[in-house]
């Protein structure tokens, strides 16, 4: 069912979140259809909104532990009558406290990120999180595994968990380029080796890029000297900068060609690098189903994935959609050699299979409308 966006029926959404890319995208996707109030918790003195101006209202909440977040509670509570539905991005401690304090009487949705529900918590924090999760109106999960996990660990009713709503999109720019364009893209990014390996996740130890470099150090020179690894680094955090420096040192020590692009790439730039890359490597220690896996698949880039990430297996099969490896250098090295030696067999087969799975994510307008309809059904407006 589709709801028209006019003055009398415009949905009013309260969005609780931080300055993440996914929050920004959801605001952009819905701001033409709904009135959005974006609430963020930040102790920083800077009062500016972290996103570009748009058709939404920005409200900053500053928690005060000594006052049990009472100022943030009172400020947010004032907006309750102006909102039809609350949408929570990343269920962190402060949002849990506010929701447990009944800061809103309106139906509340939660968009699961994964790392906000699957960590080890103290007993009190676990009980708080469980209480909040059980009392949400609707939870939007990415996979059936997430649904089962939330039900078993926290006792959330399965009927309150949706897994058929796409709450993020993939830019349509992620598509295979014509063969004649590939050489010019290689020149643009100065990628001159025969085999390009793109490891697109952030340069943090969580994503274990060091395992990839260690794996390449095990290869014969016939393979290693023809391989170039591409990473991106956009952090100013000293710890993360240190990890990047360690990666450079490790690559130099083992004569591995490593190129680190020191900026946040646009979707179009990411698509260009996927198109010239042989494989798209994801061997994190913990993960959901990363969007960059899908982006690479739609560009014809073969996924090399950590076999121990349960979410990956829900959609992908070994040698049908991807190559699964154990998160250790020897297994990763074997996976790289497998892809190189059998590329002709794997490439078209995996691309076709993955296109059928993931092309739906590029239907931006259709997905945005379905998301809006889902939020409308959850809201006070549904009656």
């Amino acid at each position: 069912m589709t709801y028209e966006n006019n003055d009398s029926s415009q949905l009013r959404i309260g969005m609780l979140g931080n300055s993440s890319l996914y929050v920004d995208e959801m605001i952009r996707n819905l701001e033409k259809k709904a009135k959005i109030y974006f609430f963020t918790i930040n102790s920083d003195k800077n009062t500016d909104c972290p996103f570009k101006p748009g058709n939404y209202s920005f409200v900053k909440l500053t928690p005060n532990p000594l006052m049990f977040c009472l100022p943030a509670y009172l400020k947010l509570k004032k907006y309750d009558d102006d909102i039809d539905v609350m949408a929570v991005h990343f269920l962190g401690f402060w949002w849990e406290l506010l929701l447990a304090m009944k800061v809103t009487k309106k139906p509340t949705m939660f968009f699961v990120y994964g790392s906000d529900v699957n960590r080890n918590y103290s007993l009190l924090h676990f009980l708080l999180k469980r209480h909040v999760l059980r009392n949400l109106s609707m939870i939007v999960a990415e996979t059936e595994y997430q649904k089962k996990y939330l039900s078993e660990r926290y006792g959330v009713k399965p009927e309150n968990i949706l897994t058929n709503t796409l709450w993020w999109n993939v830019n349509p720019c992620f598509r295979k380029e014509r063969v004649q364009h590939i050489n010019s893209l290689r020149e643009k990014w100065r990628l001159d080796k025969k085999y390009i390996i793109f490891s697109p996740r952030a340069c943090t130890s969580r994503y274990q890029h060091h395992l990839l470099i260690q794996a390449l150090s095990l290869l014969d020179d016939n393979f290693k000297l023809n391989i170039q690894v591409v990473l991106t680094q956009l952090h100013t955090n000293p710890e993360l900068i240190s990890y990047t420096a360690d990666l450079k040192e490790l690559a130099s020590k083992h004569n591995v060609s490593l190129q680190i692009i020191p900026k946040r790439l646009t979707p179009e730039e990411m698509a260009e690098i996927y198109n010239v890359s042989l494989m798209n490597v994801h061997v994190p220690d913990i993960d959901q189903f990363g969007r960059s896996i899908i982006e690479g698949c739609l560009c014809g880039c073969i996924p090399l994935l950590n076999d121990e990430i349960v979410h990956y297996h829900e959609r992908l099969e070994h040698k049908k959609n991807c190559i699964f490896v154990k998160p250790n250098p020897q297994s990763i090295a074997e996976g790289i050699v497998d892809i190189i030696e059998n590329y002709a067999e794997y490439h078209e087969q995996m691309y076709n299979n993955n296109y059928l799975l993931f092309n739906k994510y590029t239907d931006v307008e259709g997905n945005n409308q379905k998301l809006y309809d889902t939020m409308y059904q959850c809201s006070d407006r549904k009656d």
Side-chain angles (χ1 to χ4, degrees), residues 12 80-86 104-108 137 380:
R12 301 171 301 174
D80 209 34
D81 290 338
D82 298 323
I83 289 167
D84 301 312
V85 61
M86 282 286 190
T104 179
K105 296 179 181 179
K106 299 304 171 73
T108 302
S137 308
D380 278 350

Side-chain angles (χ1 to χ4, degrees), residues 31 37 59 64 71 101 118 165 191 218 228 250 255 322 355:
E31 63 181 346
Y37 296 86
V59 181
N64 186 331
M101 293 168 65
N118 60 11
T165 297
L191 302 174
L218 302 177
Q228 191 168 12
L250 185 64
N255 197 24
C322 67
Y355 182 87

Side-chain angles (χ1 to χ4, degrees), residues 203-249:
C203 257
T204 71
S205 57
R206 169 186 170 183
Y207 294 114
Q208 304 192 127
H209 301 286
H210 57 280
L211 294 181
L212 172 59
I213 296 175
Q214 290 169 354
L216 292 174
S217 74
L218 302 177
L219 299 183
D220 293 338
D221 283 351
N222 290 337
F223 287 111
K224 183 172 68 174
L225 298 180
N226 285 305
I227 292 174
Q228 191 168 12
V229 176
V230 179
L231 306 177
T232 63
Q233 200 272 348
L234 48 95
H235 298 286
T236 56
N237 182 302
E239 182 180 348
L240 302 182
I241 292 175
S242 175
Y243 179 68
T244 303
D246 291 342
L247 292 177
K248 292 178 180 179
E249 183 178 346

Side-chain angles (χ1 to χ4, degrees), residues 16-75:
L16 311 180
N18 54 22
S19 58
S20 79
L21 177 64
Y22 289 109
V23 177
D24 187 24
E25 287 185 359
M26 186 173 286
I27 290 175
R28 302 301 168 198
N29 291 339
L30 295 175
E31 63 181 346
K32 294 181 180 179
K33 301 175 181 292
K35 170 61 179 175
I36 296 175
Y37 296 86
F38 168 47
F39 303 96
T40 189
I41 289 181
N42 195 335
S43 58
D44 195 320
K45 294 182 180 180
N46 182 13
T47 59
D48 294 336
C49 181
F51 307 135
K52 294 179 180 178
N55 185 31
Y56 64 94
S57 299
F58 170 62
V59 181
K60 179 182 174 182
L61 308 173
T62 303
N64 186 331
L66 297 178
M67 300 181 67
F68 198 59
C69 66
L70 185 60
Y73 172 89
L74 294 174
K75 189 172 185 179

Side-chain angles (χ1 to χ4, degrees), residues 264-381:
R264 182 186 295 278
L265 297 176
T266 66
E268 291 77 13
E269 290 172 333
M270 291 281 287
E272 290 176 352
I273 296 177
Y274 283 128
N275 266 280
V276 301
S277 299
L278 192 73
M279 64 192 83
N280 175 16
V281 177
H282 297 255
V283 288
D285 60 354
I286 189 171
D287 202 11
Q288 301 304 300
F289 197 94
R291 178 163 60 177
S292 50
I293 297 175
I294 297 176
E295 294 168 346
C297 286
L298 292 173
C299 294
C301 197
I302 295 177
L304 183 79
L305 306 177
N306 184 350
D307 184 54
E308 296 179 359
I309 303 296
V310 178
H311 301 284
Y312 295 171
H313 288 274
E314 187 165 325
R315 301 181 187 182
L316 304 177
E317 295 180 30
H318 183 56
K319 295 197 174 183
K320 179 181 177 182
N321 309 95
C322 67
I323 298 298
F324 279 118
V325 295
K326 297 298 181 182
N328 64 69
Q330 183 62 46
S331 182
I332 295 169
E334 292 170 359
I336 291 170
V337 172
D338 184 16
I339 291 175
I340 291 174
E341 292 183 337
N342 297 286
Y343 182 76
E345 174 188 348
Y346 292 154
H347 180 247
E348 281 304 315
Q349 170 194 310
M350 290 187 183
Y351 171 72
N352 291 333
N353 292 336
N354 291 332
Y355 182 87
L356 292 175
L357 276 178
F358 299 132
N359 189 51
K360 63 184 178 182
Y361 285 88
T362 64
D363 180 14
V364 176
E365 288 302 317
N367 293 336
N368 291 345
Q369 186 62 55
K370 290 175 185 176
L371 174 61
Y372 178 84
D373 293 348
T374 298
M375 298 182 83
Y376 201 110
Q377 285 291 343
C378 183
S379 74
D380 278 350
R381 292 291 188 93

